[in-house]
Amino acid sequence: MASQSVSASIAIFVVGLTTISTILWMRRRQSCTSLSAYEKLVGQTPLIRLDLLSELLQRSIYVKMEHLNPGGTGKDRAALCMIREAEVRGELPPPNTRAGKKETTVATETPLSSTLNFSDDYLHKVISNAMKRSATGGLVVEGTSGSTGISLATLCSSRGHACLVVLPNDQAPEKQQILETLGAAVLEVKTASISNPNHYVNIARRIDLLAKERGISSVFINQFENLANFKTHCEITGPELWHQAGKIDAFCMSSGTGGTISGVAESLKTKFNSKCRIVLVDPPGS
């Protein structure tokens, strides 16, 4: 009887722990999937029919106005999804949208032009500088020369995470200024081949590892290999396009990471029209 009682107690204890874990996970997921007023503006951009061109071609030609996302780019979709997925997985803390924006000036880390190799001590200073703006204790790191950095900066500000963008030094000064204004810490590095450890993406990956060693809840977004980039366009952008247009026979766009065109293509061809033609427009040498 005593043995049965102990077994029953252990069973109840295990079930109790499982229940508590489930409740905590559900609360984390609910917190991480909630959206601020700013974030609710992402997506559902207008689909505009180009009447003159449509009449000339005798086809209905539409353009998706992705620049009307709050960050001014379609990258807002992927950036929001990648951040939220990291929160749900526990790599980032839950968002803290009520803490308010910290009034801390974050200086840009711009090495001397002769600097190519970065010591761990130097990068730790960069991390500490970025973390001054974190209301959650979380840090989002990405190496980007495009609009993804701007989207990450706006959304990190909205959700309370610090944002650290590693930027090659061949970009327009205005891009760096925008990132700083949006609250991101910027590390400018010399341009290098992707195989070089000092390529901006590789530096971002290294910074993330150093932050993790310090116990910081850090995530390297890694947009080129992040499946959430594909997922958001497959599950949201593709169906959104189809329902707005009513019917789509061909989808045409340029590409950066490939996340948008591959996600939309998968959605349109597998869920709506298997004969839909997908066209990628890419300049020579891209």
Side-chain angles (χ1 to χ4, degrees):
M1 291 295 292
S3 176
Q4 291 178 350
S5 176
V6 170
S7 298
S9 298
I10 292 174
I12 292 171
F13 179 70
V14 171
V15 170
L17 284 179
T18 303
T19 303
I20 293 171
S21 298
T22 302
I23 292 172
L24 291 175
W25 181 85
M26 290 177 66
R27 285 182 176 176
R28 166 179 277 276
R29 185 170 183 85
Q30 183 178 13
S31 173
C32 295
T33 54
S34 62
L35 296 175
S36 68
Y38 176 86
E39 292 155 2
K40 289 177 182 178
L41 296 173
V42 177
Q44 291 298 328
T45 53
L47 186 70
I48 305 298
R49 186 176 188 271
L50 303 180
D51 292 335
L52 181 58
L53 186 59
S54 297
E55 291 174 9
L56 289 172
L57 298 177
Q58 293 298 294
R59 298 286 187 276
S60 291
I61 310 297
Y62 295 90
V63 59
K64 185 72 165 155
M65 309 296 285
E66 285 293 89
H67 68 287
L68 295 180
N69 279 296
T73 168
K75 295 292 187 179
D76 283 357
R77 296 176 184 263
L80 179 58
C81 185
M82 291 187 288
I83 291 173
R84 290 172 69 188
E85 292 262 320
E87 292 170 349
V88 170
R89 290 193 304 268
E91 295 178 28
L92 286 174
N96 184 353
T97 58
R98 298 181 181 180
K101 188 174 181 181
K102 290 186 179 181
E103 297 299 327
T104 303
T105 301
V106 177
T108 299
E109 301 290 348
T110 307
L112 298 174
S113 58
S114 59
T115 302
L116 183 60
N117 296 309
F118 300 97
S119 67
D120 286 356
D121 287 343
Y122 180 84
L123 294 180
H124 277 302
K125 291 179 182 178
V126 174
I127 293 168
S128 297
N129 183 43
M131 289 302 294
K132 294 175 183 178
R133 293 298 295 268
S134 181
T136 64
L139 173 66
V140 172
V141 185
E142 182 64 343
T144 174
S145 60
S147 302
T148 302
I150 293 173
S151 295
L152 289 172
T154 59
L155 292 165
C156 283
S157 179
S158 174
R159 297 182 81 79
H161 307 308
C163 181
L164 201 167
V165 174
V166 184
L167 190 73
N169 64 355
D170 60 352
Q171 298 300 298
E174 291 79 10
K175 183 174 291 185
Q176 182 173 307
Q177 292 167 6
I178 291 172
L179 288 167
E180 293 169 0
T181 301
L182 294 172
V186 180
L187 173 62
E188 187 181 53
V189 302
K190 293 182 69 173
T191 56
S193 167
I194 187 62
S195 61
N196 189 315
N198 292 299
H199 184 274
Y200 61 93
V201 172
N202 297 329
I203 290 290
R205 182 181 288 106
R206 182 179 162 200
I207 287 173
D208 172 60
L209 292 174
L210 289 172
K212 284 182 168 68
E213 289 176 2
R214 288 172 55 175
I216 295 172
S217 296
S218 174
V219 62
F220 171 46
I221 288 296
N222 198 15
Q223 59 177 316
F224 280 89
E225 299 179 24
N226 193 321
L227 289 179
N229 187 1
F230 165 87
K231 177 182 176 182
T232 189
H233 298 297
C234 184
E235 296 182 356
I236 300 176
T237 315
E240 179 182 317
L241 274 165
W242 181 268
H243 293 307
Q244 285 180 319
K247 178 184 179 184
I248 298 176
D249 297 301
F251 176 73
C252 176
M253 69 169 292
S254 58
S255 179
T257 64
T260 305
I261 192 168
S262 59
V264 170
E266 177 74 10
S267 177
L268 294 179
K269 292 181 75 68
T270 61
K271 299 177 183 178
F272 302 104
N273 179 9
S274 61
K275 296 182 179 179
C276 181
R277 186 178 180 187
I278 308 299
V279 181
L280 168 62
V281 180
D282 208 34
S286 172

